Amino acid sequence: MSIQLTRSKALAFSLPALIAILPFLGACFYIFRFSISGEQSRIEGFSLQPYLDLMTPYFGRSVWLTLRLAFIATLLAMLMAVPLAFLLTSLRNPFARRALTIVILLPLILNLLVQAYGWILLLGPSGVLNATLRSLGIIERPIFLLFNETGVLLGLVQTSLPLAVFPIVSSVRGISREHLEAASSLGASHWRIFFDVTVPLLRPGLFGAASIVFAFNASAFAIPLLLGGRRVQMMGIAIRDMISPLFNWSGAAAAGMILIFVTMFVMLFAAWLARITSEKVER
């Protein structure tokens, strides 16, 4: 009785959130319906031609580039997020902990345009980095770190880093010190404790954080557009080009559905790995 009452209360409290999700689900259904439309500019009839038209080397390269950059950016963000999560949980000073939290959250607080233009001022041909290196005599010609994959990767890692840190922080706080003390008392080194005890306990949080970061990076639009320009054709840029200037709405909807399906597959695969890992840890 109490369990049913608890579930009913949880459903009542989550009802506003479920209502807020409904427009998004409706938009996804609308995009799917447009993706199988027989006309490019309006919903009329049914056809798989919009999907067949995407079977081109150009769109295939866009899909591959999106997956590759999203994977690399996710890997880099996770490598940076783990030590940051341990540092954040180890701080005992409330002021230092709040200050570090604000610094980590800055990419989510600041506007993406402000962050992108900050990268341009820093890494541009006449930016701070190139000007400093030339004044020191290290380089003669500017290093091009923008409007290529390097610039897009830097932007993706910076903007997605907070999404990786805080899920890992929750996992770190859930690690019992008794496990670490038991391993230490048995003579295990710090690295052995980290790889044999800490990492297995962190795996569910790592997979969850990685899936969120990957989905965020794969669907990015502003960062590839501003830091990659027309040279880095990720799927977000390709979809935008289909809408304007081509006005191929059905093709853009089909490309959007492919991006949604790919992202959902990666997230479901990460959830499956997290479940399998947690079951192994519990055993």
Side-chain angles (χ1 to χ4, degrees), residues 58-77 148-154 156-157 160 210 213-220 224 231-236 259 262-263 266:
Y58 174 80
F59 187 74
R61 286 193 298 269
S62 179
V63 173
W64 168 246
L65 179 64
T66 300
L67 296 177
R68 181 165 58 85
L69 291 182
F71 176 78
I72 296 174
T74 300
L75 182 61
L76 294 175
N148 52 32
E149 294 183 10
T150 302
V152 174
L153 276 175
L154 290 173
L156 291 178
V157 171
S160 64
V213 173
F214 180 87
F216 179 83
N217 289 331
S219 60
R231 300 179 181 177
V232 184
Q233 283 284 325
M234 293 182 68
M235 290 185 68
L259 179 59
V262 170
T263 305
V266 172

Side-chain angles (χ1 to χ4, degrees), residues 113-123:
L113 287 174
V114 175
Q115 299 180 56
Y117 285 123
W119 281 113
I120 292 173
L121 292 174
L122 179 64
L123 302 178

Side-chain angles (χ1 to χ4, degrees), residues 31-32 34-36 49-55 58-59 62-63 66 218-219 234-243 248-263:
I31 293 173
F32 173 72
F34 219 139
S35 71
I36 56 175
Q49 193 61 40
Y51 288 94
L52 297 177
D53 291 340
L54 294 177
M55 303 302 169
Y58 174 80
F59 187 74
S62 179
V63 173
T66 300
S219 60
M234 293 182 68
M235 290 185 68
I237 308 298
I239 294 172
R240 178 247 188 184
D241 289 342
M242 291 181 190
I243 296 174
N248 184 4
W249 290 90
S250 60
M257 291 306 303
I258 291 175
L259 179 59
I260 292 174
F261 287 140
V262 170
T263 305

Side-chain angles (χ1 to χ4, degrees), residues 6-264:
T6 302
R7 289 178 179 176
S8 62
K9 286 183 177 179
L11 180 60
F13 281 117
S14 61
L15 189 59
L18 295 176
I19 294 175
I21 294 174
L22 287 178
F24 170 75
L25 296 178
C28 290
F29 176 78
Y30 182 79
I31 293 173
F32 173 72
R33 178 62 186 89
F34 219 139
S35 71
I36 56 175
S37 173
E39 299 290 335
Q40 288 188 353
S41 59
R42 64 182 184 272
I43 297 178
E44 183 175 324
F46 294 90
S47 175
L48 294 177
Q49 193 61 40
Y51 288 94
L52 297 177
D53 291 340
L54 294 177
M55 303 302 169
T56 62
Y58 174 80
F59 187 74
R61 286 193 298 269
S62 179
V63 173
W64 168 246
L65 179 64
T66 300
L67 296 177
R68 181 165 58 85
L69 291 182
F71 176 78
I72 296 174
T74 300
L75 182 61
L76 294 175
M78 296 297 294
L79 291 175
M80 297 180 185
V82 171
L84 275 176
F86 276 97
L87 176 62
L88 190 60
T89 55
S90 65
L91 292 176
R92 295 291 177 262
N93 189 305
F95 176 79
R97 188 166 58 250
R98 292 193 189 99
L100 182 58
T101 301
I102 292 173
V103 171
I104 296 173
L105 284 173
L106 275 179
L108 297 181
I109 297 173
L110 294 177
N111 187 278
L112 284 177
L113 287 174
V114 175
Q115 299 180 56
Y117 285 123
W119 281 113
I120 292 173
L121 292 174
L122 179 64
L123 302 178
S126 301
V128 176
L129 179 62
N130 278 305
T132 303
L133 293 177
R134 277 186 291 181
S135 64
L136 296 175
I138 299 177
I139 60 173
E140 295 182 358
R141 298 179 180 179
I143 303 174
F144 290 96
L145 298 174
L146 288 178
F147 308 115
N148 52 32
E149 294 183 10
T150 302
V152 174
L153 276 175
L154 290 173
L156 291 178
V157 171
Q158 184 221 354
T159 53
S160 64
L161 185 59
L163 301 176
V165 172
F166 292 101
I168 299 175
V169 166
S170 301
S171 298
V172 172
R173 288 174 177 168
I175 297 177
S176 174
R177 296 187 63 86
E178 295 177 355
H179 292 86
L180 305 180
E181 292 174 355
S184 178
S185 64
L186 293 174
S189 63
H190 293 293
W191 287 108
R192 187 71 180 274
I193 293 174
F194 178 77
F195 286 107
D196 291 349
V197 180
T198 305
V199 170
L201 294 175
L202 283 179
R203 278 177 187 168
L206 293 176
F207 285 128
S211 64
I212 295 173
V213 173
F214 180 87
F216 179 83
N217 289 331
S219 60
F221 170 73
I223 291 299
L225 178 64
L226 295 172
L227 299 182
R230 310 290 300 181
R231 300 179 181 177
V232 184
Q233 283 284 325
M234 293 182 68
M235 290 185 68
I237 308 298
I239 294 172
R240 178 247 188 184
D241 289 342
M242 291 181 190
I243 296 174
S244 176
L246 299 178
F247 297 103
N248 184 4
W249 290 90
S250 60
M257 291 306 303
I258 291 175
L259 179 59
I260 292 174
F261 287 140
V262 170
T263 305
M264 289 181 60

